[in-house]
Amino acid sequence: MGILEKISEIEKEIARTQKNKATEYHLGLLKAKLAKYRSQLLEPSKSAANKGEGFDVMKSGDARVALIGFPSVGKSTFLSLMTSTASEAASYEFTTLTCIPGVIEYKGANIQLLDLPGIIEGASQGKGRGRQVIAVARTSDVVIMMLDATKGEVQRSLLEMELESVGIRLNKRKPNIYFKPKKGGGISFNSTVPLTQCSEKLVQLILHEYKMFNAEVLFREDCTPDEFIDVIVGNRVYMPCLYVYNKIDQISMEEVDRLARQPYSVVISCGMKLNLDYLLEMLWENLALTCIYTKKRGERPDFGDAIIMRKGASVEHVCHRIHRTLTSQFKYALVWGTSTKYSPQRVGLTHNMEHEDVIQVFKK
């Protein structure tokens, strides 16, 4: 029996098992087996040495955004509208067959946007170049899931299922579980909160399924068996996702209002160029980027050329971006902006910068 057949059998077994106290251990074990087989499925095969057409694109710019969705939802049209790249768009399915990059210039930042081929059901098992598409999505900072507003919620749940099965967790944070495999001493289990979904026995059974008999486990929050399996496997990617509903000009106002009020959702129309500005604002917010401007002594700040950093970047990170030797010669910095109590404020390397702050660095 191949891996795909084993996965199918386990999925059927999970579907027909009733969820209650008596079956939680059985379900926990099945989920552990399922995660193990799925990770085997994602490993590149040894016969994959033969050279094919290159698919992934080199990472460039300040951030990377992957555009995924089913065929003919308007991804290529969106790329052509947002960037200077022309991606072939047509009314038939699978117009895009490879990864097409473009660059969105917004608030001084260069955001790389990747138009990926349409995903089909079963993509996580390698159908329709699905595995390559998902591998590129894993390297992104944010996923834009392009959906057809006329098709309701069907596409969203199918795509979420495909991404979930290959370890991409959308709009979720990493489970707060401390886990460390050891050489001996058995399994040490503790929790700082009351657990309602996992027990010590279930944790031990899951670890035994992965042939781990010595480990330290500490639950700092009430997590599910699935989240604990994610921590053991360790190759899960947690990333923000925007659900973008295209073609809103073809549905009723009530339906548009309902879709727009859902969390992480944006409604647009590429055909009529509706609401694209708001989508860019939401994208900027999810990327958590900040613009920092530099100033030379006796001169006005250079607002034409911003340094793009991640939120929470310190003066030390800014110095590294300007020049790698600057921190060793650093004396102090003057900062103007919302991160200071008064402007200018004299700060050290550990001071955290905020959006549109101005910095002047003094060397020893």
Side-chain angles (χ1 to χ4, degrees):
M1 193 188 279
I3 293 178
L4 286 175
E5 287 82 12
K6 285 177 183 174
I7 288 173
S8 175
E9 281 297 312
I10 293 170
E11 282 173 344
K12 283 175 191 166
E13 177 73 14
I14 289 172
R16 65 172 172 257
T17 305
Q18 283 189 329
K19 291 171 181 65
N20 55 45
K21 275 279 177 199
T23 60
E24 63 178 17
Y25 297 119
H26 180 57
L27 282 170
L29 275 177
L30 288 174
K31 284 172 180 174
K33 278 180 182 164
L34 188 61
K36 202 162 74 172
Y37 287 136
R38 276 180 177 161
S39 61
Q40 282 175 21
L41 193 66
L42 286 174
E43 285 168 12
S45 59
K46 291 182 174 67
S47 60
N50 54 330
K51 295 271 190 291
E53 185 193 347
F55 188 86
D56 197 3
V57 175
M58 187 185 282
K59 207 167 185 175
S60 69
D62 301 297
R64 179 183 250 198
V65 176
L67 195 55
I68 64 166
F70 282 103
S72 293
V73 289
K75 298 189 300 299
S76 300
T77 311
F78 178 75
L79 182 86
S80 304
L81 280 174
M82 290 302 200
T83 70
S84 55
T85 308
S87 182
E88 192 187 340
S91 56
Y92 54 87
E93 295 192 342
F94 300 108
T95 320
T96 306
L97 295 172
T98 186
C99 180
I100 298 168
V103 176
I104 301 173
E105 290 175 8
Y106 188 68
K107 291 189 179 180
N110 289 329
I111 301 164
Q112 187 184 39
L113 181 67
L114 300 179
D115 177 17
L116 299 171
I119 284 184
I120 57 170
E121 213 175 327
S124 57
Q125 294 163 11
K127 289 183 189 172
R129 300 198 91 175
R131 224 178 287 176
Q132 288 164 298
V133 172
I134 287 163
V136 176
R138 282 175 74 94
T139 65
S140 308
D141 300 301
V142 169
V143 167
I144 289 182
M145 192 183 284
M146 190 71 86
L147 304 160
D148 191 332
T150 61
K151 303 234 171 114
E153 302 296 310
V154 186
Q155 290 188 341
R156 177 172 166 170
S157 54
L158 282 170
L159 279 174
E160 279 178 339
M161 214 158 62
E162 291 295 335
L163 295 178
E164 189 89 10
S165 64
V166 292
I168 297 176
R169 304 288 178 256
L170 302 176
N171 298 324
K172 287 181 184 174
R173 58 185 179 80
K174 208 171 178 180
N176 195 355
I177 300 172
Y178 173 77
F179 172 71
K180 187 184 177 185
K182 295 189 299 185
K183 293 246 167 71
I187 293 167
S188 160
F189 177 85
N190 280 299
S191 67
T192 57
V193 291
L195 299 180
T196 59
Q197 303 169 90
C198 252
S199 65
E200 186 173 355
K201 186 184 171 189
L202 182 55
V203 164
Q204 285 178 346
L205 284 169
I206 291 169
L207 286 171
H208 290 171
E209 181 59 41
Y210 280 91
K211 303 211 167 17
M212 292 182 181
F213 303 98
N214 304 291
E216 212 174 310
V217 181
L218 173 64
F219 276 67
R220 296 195 185 101
E221 62 182 2
D222 188 15
C223 294
T224 62
D226 292 320
E227 288 172 323
F228 179 59
I229 291 164
D230 285 354
V231 171
I232 298 171
V233 175
N235 64 351
R236 303 307 191 217
V237 179
Y238 298 84
M239 62 171 67
C241 172
L242 280 175
Y243 302 103
V244 178
Y245 291 90
N246 188 21
K247 307 180 186 178
I248 55 163
D249 49 305
Q250 298 175 25
I251 58 172
S252 66
M253 278 304 293
E254 290 78 11
E255 183 65 7
V256 171
D257 186 58
R258 188 186 70 79
L259 292 173
R261 288 179 189 277
Q262 290 183 359
Y264 313 109
S265 295
V266 181
V267 291
I268 64 161
S269 169
C270 289
M272 297 180 76
K273 299 181 183 174
L274 297 174
N275 214 26
L276 297 176
D277 293 346
Y278 177 66
L279 173 54
L280 277 178
E281 271 178 51
M282 289 292 289
L283 185 59
W284 179 265
E285 209 174 287
N286 277 274
L287 284 167
L289 297 175
T290 54
C291 297
I292 291 150
Y293 303 104
T294 53
K295 178 188 179 307
K296 289 180 181 173
R297 190 184 292 186
E299 292 181 23
R300 291 180 66 80
D302 181 10
F303 291 118
D305 187 20
I307 296 172
I308 308 296
M309 304 291 291
R310 296 274 164 194
K311 256 184 196 162
S314 65
V315 171
E316 188 176 1
H317 294 127
V318 178
C319 291
H320 272 300
R321 180 64 71 88
I322 296 167
H323 198 277
R324 64 179 181 274
T325 61
L326 193 55
T327 45
S328 58
Q329 303 167 334
F330 180 86
K331 190 177 180 186
Y332 67 91
L334 290 178
V335 175
W336 292 257
T338 53
S339 69
T340 58
K341 289 179 183 171
Y342 42 87
S343 291
Q345 183 175 323
R346 184 171 164 158
V347 297
L349 284 170
T350 55
H351 176 78
N352 282 347
M353 305 292 286
E354 284 183 14
H355 186 50
E356 294 186 336
D357 276 1
V358 175
I359 186 170
Q360 182 181 342
V361 180
F362 291 84
K363 296 199 282 188
K364 288 173 188 168

